[in-house]
Amino acid sequence: QVQLVESGGGLVQAGGSLRLSCAASGRTFSSYTLGWFRQAPGKAREFVAAISWSSLSTRYADSVKGRFTISRDNAKNTVYLQMNSLKPEDTAVYYCAAGVVPVAAQMNSYAYWGQGTQVTVSS
């Protein structure tokens, strides 16, 4: 069992940066792929980024590639999403998730989900 709690969301101007954190509980945190997803108002939840248990593999949505960086610290049971050059279209609730499929982009590959943190980018 893994419990996930996101933090770090907020309001930022376009072009700014935010770093999201997701703290996990559970002894097997280091064995899971961790992912970030987001859901904008009126839209379906979509994949943002994922990182393997070893941090050797990462995967990004095309819309965030080159602007966002996912990382993890297994000693701290935490995964991060550094978001730079933010755009208004990045506005969404951001969720972290844990699963066993390596760097999966599909929601149904993740068994555990956090409650989400709101990110709002103003123009």
Side-chain angles (χ1 to χ4, degrees):
Q1 188 79 6
V2 177
Q3 294 182 328
L4 304 168
V5 179
E6 304 94 336
S7 62
L11 174 63
V12 64
Q13 289 188 330
S17 298
L18 279 176
R19 188 175 82 153
L20 304 183
S21 300
C22 176
S25 62
R27 293 179 295 174
T28 58
F29 171 85
S30 61
S31 66
Y32 285 94
T33 277
L34 298 174
W36 286 96
F37 289 75
R38 67 186 181 186
Q39 187 166 17
K43 296 188 176 181
R45 194 171 298 189
E46 64 177 6
F47 170 76
V48 175
I51 186 167
S52 65
W53 68 271
S54 64
S55 299
L56 291 179
S57 296
T58 57
R59 185 173 183 176
Y60 296 92
D62 288 343
S63 59
V64 306
K65 205 170 292 183
R67 300 187 298 122
F68 291 10
T69 302
I70 189 170
S71 62
R72 66 190 292 168
D73 185 337
N74 288 340
K76 295 182 178 180
N77 281 9
T78 302
V79 61
Y80 305 97
L81 185 68
Q82 178 67 44
M83 306 185 295
N84 298 328
S85 302
L86 283 161
K87 305 175 181 180
E89 52 263 43
D90 294 317
T91 295
V93 177
Y94 283 71
Y95 299 88
C96 70
V100 297
V101 178
V103 289
Q106 297 77 23
M107 285 182 54
N108 60 12
S109 295
Y110 293 84
Y112 304 102
W113 291 83
Q115 293 300 306
T117 185
Q118 175 71 46
V119 171
T120 303
V121 184
S122 64
S123 58

